Amino acid sequence: MLIGNHNAARKQADATFQNTHIYVKDKGLYIFATKECAGEGYDGRISGTNKFFHSLKIEAELCNVEGVYMSKNHGPFERLQDVLSDDMSAVNTLISTRMSSENAPRIPEVTAHLVEAGGKRLRPMLTLAAARMCGYDGDDHVKLAATVEFIHTATLLHDDVVDESGQRRGRPTANLLWDNKSSVLVGDFLFARSFQLMIETGSLRVLDILANASAVIAEGEVLQLTAAQNIETTEEIYLQVVRGKTAALFAAACEVGGVIAGAPEDQVDALRGYGDALGVSFQIVDDLLDYGGASSALGKNTGDDFREGKLTLPVIMAISQGDSNERTFWARTIGKRQQQDGDLEHALELMAKHRTLEATKVRALSWANVARKSLAPLPDSPLKTHLDELAEFVVSRIT
Amino acid sequence: MLIGNHNAARKQADATFQNTHIYVKDKGLYIFATKECAGEGYDGRISGTNKFFHSLKIEAELCNVEGVYMSKNHGPFERLQDVLSDDMSAVNTLISTRMSSENAPRIPEVTAHLVEAGGKRLRPMLTLAAARMCGYDGDDHVKLAATVEFIHTATLLHDDVVDESGQRRGRPTANLLWDNKSSVLVGDFLFARSFQLMIETGSLRVLDILANASAVIAEGEVLQLTAAQNIETTEEIYLQVVRGKTAALFAAACEVGGVIAGAPEDQVDALRGYGDALGVSFQIVDDLLDYGGASSALGKNTGDDFREGKLTLPVIMAISQGDSNERTFWARTIGKRQQQDGDLEHALELMAKHRTLEATKVRALSWANVARKSLAPLPDSPLKTHLDELAEFVVSRIT
């Protein structure tokens, strides 16, 4: 079966996998689970990675193997996966082992979905790459990579907790496995496991970095919550939210790789700077894609953020340039989340009028450039090249 | 004003403080906030400590100072407070400092309530007492005590997350400050802060103990969730839940005090054993009091656990001894949580028939004895005496 591009691939996947669970069975496989086709209770936990998968440009042959699409296409991410495949296998084994709980059978029940659903493990890959490119030849980077993935997964689980106030709009009804309480408690378990793992490295500096990242992540999430319905939210606050909820873990994932390898301080700083900028870029791209990207091509998931009243960069920019009529519109639809048919289309018109999707794209590209430039102090190596290309690849989703 | 006993005091407090917030302004003050009088959004986060306050036997003069009842009565807990008052002031200062967040204003908003509502800080007190009785004269025990309190508070916040399925029954509507999402994220922030604090001590062993405790707490909570509506739940599983959700932190709180003081291993073991048994006893007492204690005196909060379908020891014992009619009753009321008027009364009758409240009391007393005996390897000291009396005091609520 030949599928020429991402949209066609998704359409095909949607048709094939309607209401089924899709697992990634091996590395190098793509998952096309969308909110609509992933089945009840399956959505959300992997939404971040989902979007990443969705947006891959697939130009090579895809074949349907046991309900899973396999791609033979190799981008920078796959090249990283190839170089680090032994390390990543060790990370996956460690994750499986440490996710289990003899005492509470529900924990493996819930986490099994997360493990099998996989995700590209972008964050642990950063840790592995950073450690290896700084010449590390021990085993602790595997523990740290698993730690980073546990923190990420716990965050996704907690992000999935909803209130009764209608925020569940547009989302599938949670089933027993996925109720609020389970999400919170299993997330807590993963947080605890992540700390157990990082403690095993015996490096207080690494512990410090990851504990600080955890605090910044929580602060970012809380800030997002308070900013959520305030249409006065500035680009500066948006950046602070993004730094917290996304970039902090990217930065820490890179930094601890360098630290565990005993890299010189300027290289550790470089890795941290790379992770931070890559994370910011990654999140801006994600937020832009939610409105169909700079081309504002309308897809079936377009406008999820709008419906949820999330103040992301394209909207923030449109509000700041809007006249009083437009601000009234934003105050109603985002501020009070009183929405009706046609509002999303009107919102997209306003963004087009002020060209905020293009402006958002410029920001994303600029952060990807910061990421690439941050790598300068690191000695040349194939891994450095892969990381450089990865920064380009992240924004290739919108170019 | 003279109030002869606890019930009269509570009645007076209920009348006085109807729908107001009550803060503990200084150590040695009692808080009488009940579910009914504490005001919206105030309940639940401090329910554990609440019950503890409620059950103090107050036989001394009480005076109303600026809306707060002050007791001149001194029990073992107050004696501990007196001996450790400087340390505890330092803990309170540290908690206030570390709870703040420049980046996310909502965090201090939410945590301010927790700080001011106070609580008796039983767990940090155990850490301080353990460290001091083992001859510690540094400052790290203050950090560890604050760590323990942060973990406890985060657990309470996460315990407060509810689902849409009607579990909110009997609880006040959460206001904006206290919605699910805020509870989760602010709890995460406190967890992260707790790890930052413990890392500052630089003791990997202490980190290991507290990270393990965090994992066991989460496992206990998840186990409770799965056991919640399964009327086949055994006393063994109940004990496992209690060990997780309550005793693990008591045990760790005591153990890290000994470890930071560099106490010999047998003394560290003794402290851990004391904390574990004290925690189990504490929780059994709490569960028994929910049915009015061994005397099954009906109070206004009697039966909260029953209404929430929680399988606690008095019910587990009644089910295991029940005939098929009784099991049908329990399957309906607890298993399916289909309750009607008169069910609680009938449940209490069944517990009275099988004398399970008395049997539960025996268990609590027995665990308190285990706690007291655990202290044997520790050298005699006033603090040891206070801890011994504290174990007795915990069960004095039901004797």
Side-chain angles (χ1 to χ4, degrees), chain A residues 101 103 106 158-159 161-164 168 179-181 188 192 195-196 199 207 212 215 219 223 226 240, chain B residues 101 103 106 158-159 161-164 168 179-181 188 192 195-196 199 207 212 215 219 223 226:
Chain A
S101 159
N103 297 328
R106 177 166 292 185
H158 283 186
D159 203 39
V161 169
V162 292
D163 282 288
E164 296 170 302
R168 212 181 268 272
D179 57 12
N180 279 338
K181 204 89 189 183
D188 286 351
F195 279 103
Q196 288 179 306
I199 288 166
L207 289 167
N212 290 347
E219 285 180 314
L223 186 62
T226 46
Q240 211 180 323
Chain B
S101 159
N103 298 327
R106 177 166 292 182
H158 283 187
D159 204 39
V161 169
V162 293
D163 282 287
E164 296 170 303
R168 211 180 269 272
D179 58 11
N180 279 338
K181 206 87 187 182
D188 287 350
F195 279 102
Q196 289 179 305
I199 288 166
L207 288 168
N212 290 346
E219 286 181 312
L223 186 63
T226 46

Side-chain angles (χ1 to χ4, degrees), chain B residues 4 14 21 34 41 52 69 80-81 108 119 128 133 136 145 162 164 169 181-182 212 216 223 289 298 301 384 396:
Chain B
D14 282 358
H21 282 203
T34 64
F52 193 72
Y69 279 84
L80 266 175
Q81 280 185 317
L128 298 177
M133 73 189 285
Y136 186 64
V162 293
E164 296 170 303
R169 190 186 326 215
K181 206 87 187 182
S182 296
N212 290 346
V216 172
L223 186 63
L289 285 172
L298 277 174
N301 292 322
K384 179 178 172 179
S396 74

Side-chain angles (χ1 to χ4, degrees), chain B residues 134-190:
Chain B
C134 292
Y136 186 64
D137 63 358
D139 292 325
D140 281 344
H141 66 321
V142 169
K143 287 177 181 161
L144 292 176
T147 294
V148 164
E149 187 68 2
F150 275 165
I151 294 175
H152 173 57
T153 309
T155 307
L156 289 183
L157 277 167
H158 283 187
D159 204 39
D160 224 44
V161 169
V162 293
D163 282 287
E164 296 170 303
S165 55
Q167 287 186 26
R168 211 180 269 272
R169 190 186 326 215
R171 307 178 61 181
T173 310
N175 64 25
L176 194 66
L177 268 183
W178 299 98
D179 58 11
N180 279 338
K181 206 87 187 182
S182 296
S183 289
V184 172
L185 298 177
V186 175
D188 287 350
F189 176 75
L190 295 183

Side-chain angles (χ1 to χ4, degrees), chain B residues 65-241:
Chain B
V65 182
E66 289 180 13
V68 175
Y69 279 84
M70 191 192 294
S71 168
K72 293 180 182 166
N73 190 31
H74 258 47
F77 190 83
E78 288 71 27
R79 286 194 288 276
L80 266 175
Q81 280 185 317
D82 284 348
V83 178
L84 299 165
S85 66
D86 288 348
D87 280 356
M88 194 45 89
S89 296
V91 171
N92 285 331
T93 303
L94 191 58
I95 286 175
S96 295
T97 314
R98 298 304 178 90
M99 266 190 174
S100 67
S101 159
E102 280 177 27
N103 298 327
R106 177 166 292 182
I107 291 175
E109 273 175 40
V110 173
T111 52
H113 287 254
L114 294 164
V115 175
E116 294 186 63
K120 294 195 81 107
R121 306 224 193 279
L122 176 58
R123 293 156 187 82
M125 190 80 84
L126 291 174
T127 303
L128 298 177
R132 289 299 194 195
M133 73 189 285
C134 292
Y136 186 64
D137 63 358
D139 292 325
D140 281 344
H141 66 321
V142 169
K143 287 177 181 161
L144 292 176
T147 294
V148 164
E149 187 68 2
F150 275 165
I151 294 175
H152 173 57
T153 309
T155 307
L156 289 183
L157 277 167
H158 283 187
D159 204 39
D160 224 44
V161 169
V162 293
D163 282 287
E164 296 170 303
S165 55
Q167 287 186 26
R168 211 180 269 272
R169 190 186 326 215
R171 307 178 61 181
T173 310
N175 64 25
L176 194 66
L177 268 183
W178 299 98
D179 58 11
N180 279 338
K181 206 87 187 182
S182 296
S183 289
V184 172
L185 298 177
V186 175
D188 287 350
F189 176 75
L190 295 183
F191 271 130
R193 276 283 189 264
S194 80
F195 279 102
Q196 289 179 305
L197 265 171
M198 67 177 96
I199 288 166
E200 287 177 24
T201 68
S203 161
L204 283 167
R205 182 163 170 202
V206 151
L207 288 168
D208 203 39
I209 292 165
L210 289 167
N212 290 346
S214 297
V216 172
I217 291 168
E219 286 181 312
E221 297 269 7
V222 175
L223 186 63
Q224 182 176 38
L225 204 64
T226 46
Q229 282 164 278
N230 178 6
I231 66 159
E232 304 299 329
T233 297
T234 59
E235 188 173 339
E236 194 188 339
I237 290 179
Y238 168 80
L239 193 60
Q240 212 180 322
V241 169

Side-chain angles (χ1 to χ4, degrees), chain A residues 39-42 45 168 170-176 178, chain B residues 164:
Chain A
E40 53 165 9
Y42 193 71
R45 277 86 187 169
R168 212 181 268 272
R171 306 179 62 180
T173 310
N175 64 26
L176 195 66
W178 300 100
Chain B
E164 296 170 303

Side-chain angles (χ1 to χ4, degrees), chain A residues 120-367:
Chain A
K120 295 195 80 110
R121 306 225 192 280
L122 176 57
R123 293 156 187 81
M125 191 80 82
L126 292 174
T127 303
L128 298 176
R132 289 300 193 193
M133 72 189 285
C134 293
Y136 186 63
D137 63 357
D139 293 324
D140 280 345
H141 66 322
V142 169
K143 286 178 182 162
L144 292 176
T147 294
V148 164
E149 187 68 2
F150 275 166
I151 293 175
H152 173 56
T153 309
T155 308
L156 289 183
L157 278 166
H158 283 186
D159 203 39
D160 224 42
V161 169
V162 292
D163 282 288
E164 296 170 302
S165 55
Q167 285 187 25
R168 212 181 268 272
R169 189 187 325 213
R171 306 179 62 180
T173 310
N175 64 26
L176 195 66
L177 269 182
W178 300 100
D179 57 12
N180 279 338
K181 204 89 189 183
S182 296
S183 289
V184 173
L185 298 177
V186 175
D188 286 351
F189 176 74
L190 295 183
F191 270 131
R193 276 282 189 265
S194 80
F195 279 103
Q196 288 179 306
L197 264 169
M198 66 176 99
I199 288 166
E200 288 177 23
T201 68
S203 161
L204 283 167
R205 181 161 170 205
V206 151
L207 289 167
D208 203 37
I209 292 165
L210 288 167
N212 290 347
S214 297
V216 173
I217 291 169
E219 285 180 314
E221 298 268 8
V222 174
L223 186 62
Q224 181 175 39
L225 204 64
T226 46
Q229 283 165 276
N230 178 5
I231 66 159
E232 303 299 330
T233 298
T234 59
E235 189 173 339
E236 193 190 338
I237 290 179
Y238 168 80
L239 193 61
Q240 211 180 323
V241 168
V242 167
R243 276 237 150 82
K245 68 175 228 178
T246 308
L249 192 55
F250 275 69
C254 293
E255 187 178 6
V256 296
V259 166
I260 206 77
E265 283 311 306
D266 65 327
Q267 295 186 19
V268 171
D269 287 348
L271 286 166
R272 176 172 191 83
Y274 170 80
D276 174 63
L278 185 74
V280 173
S281 174
F282 183 88
Q283 187 60 53
I284 294 178
V285 167
D286 223 47
D287 291 345
L288 178 54
L289 285 171
D290 198 80
Y291 289 105
S295 66
S296 74
L298 276 172
K300 60 200 299 184
N301 292 320
T302 305
D304 278 354
D305 287 348
F306 179 77
R307 279 182 286 271
E308 288 169 24
K310 270 194 202 160
L311 270 169
T312 57
L313 197 49
V315 172
I316 289 168
M317 287 175 163
I319 294 174
S320 76
Q321 296 170 59
D323 59 25
S324 70
N325 273 344
E326 295 174 16
R327 293 177 71 85
T328 306
F329 168 79
W330 294 116
R332 171 175 62 80
T333 54
I334 300 280
K336 296 183 184 161
R337 246 196 294 159
Q338 292 168 356
Q339 299 180 7
Q340 59 205 32
D341 282 353
D343 278 346
L344 174 59
E345 288 72 13
H346 186 58
L348 285 166
E349 279 164 24
L350 295 180
M351 289 185 242
K353 172 182 168 188
H354 298 295
R355 302 185 60 78
T356 64
L357 295 174
E358 289 81 351
T360 301
K361 177 178 158 183
V362 169
R363 292 283 194 288
L365 292 174
S366 151
W367 279 104

